[in-house]
Amino acid sequence: TYTVVSADAGKELNNNVSATDENQKGHDEDTPQYPVPVVGVPGLSVDKTVLSVGGVAVTNQHRLPSAVVGQLIRYRIVVKNTGNVTLDDVKVSDKLWENGTEITVNDDKYTLTGSQFTIRSLAPEDEIVITYSYRATLKDSVYGYVKNRVTVTSDNGPTTSDEVTIKVYPIVIPDVPADDTPNWLNTEDHYAYIVGYN
């Protein structure tokens, strides 16, 4: 018994066996080779990146900028079928998604009715690009970051996930110094004290 692995996808498994007759030492006879095409190897990948923070494009995913409370963080999720069979009911779940979250899937806009999006069918080598925005909250600043994981599963394939973390700082409002203006100014009576011509 041989278990097919994902590295076998697209290849043919050739298997031969040899036998030696003890009366005729050294005589080998190969059995005919029967190529077996490998089919039905599912594969799935997901890649989550940050497109922008506070409207500024992110150019380096290894050095993500920090966000402050109220700023928009824009994410991109790429789901790809890396196997050689069509995947059915591919479910994409994101920790930041909730009922009413607006996402864009390959340029089409959707409003979620839960915390996941389902791709009905994903053919081999096909990919789906999902983008959405999240506004950093005061709660995020208390934790100090937004840790965001996306998980992808399918009915007939593997489960995979990816995660992105961005630091979040609160907006600091400086203390306004007390007004030291003395109260002896006369703000009740107004007298002309300059007389002249224009």
Side-chain angles (χ1 to χ4, degrees), residues 19 22 30 67 83 94 111 119 123 140 182 186:
E22 289 197 15
D30 290 345
D94 193 293
T111 300
I119 305 164
D140 297 326
N186 181 353

Side-chain angles (χ1 to χ4, degrees), residues 96-158:
L96 295 180
W97 290 353
E98 56 187 22
N99 192 34
T101 298
E102 295 181 355
I103 65 173
T104 302
V105 182
N106 287 356
D107 298 324
D108 293 326
K109 297 185 183 298
Y110 295 89
T111 300
L112 298 178
T113 56
S115 61
Q116 72 178 17
F117 179 79
T118 301
I119 305 164
R120 294 296 170 208
S121 180
L122 192 62
E125 298 302 317
D126 278 0
E127 67 179 26
I128 299 292
V129 179
I130 301 172
T131 58
Y132 72 97
S133 296
Y134 172 77
R135 192 173 298 278
T137 66
L138 186 59
K139 183 178 179 181
D140 297 326
S141 71
V142 171
Y143 287 117
Y145 57 83
V146 175
K147 185 179 251 185
N148 185 11
R149 176 178 289 272
V150 59
T151 303
V152 183
T153 61
S154 67
D155 284 354
N156 58 333

Side-chain angles (χ1 to χ4, degrees), residues 159-173:
T159 297
T160 185
S161 64
D162 195 14
E163 187 174 83
V164 174
T165 301
I166 291 183
K167 291 182 181 176
V168 178
Y169 297 104
I171 298 174
V172 179
I173 302 174

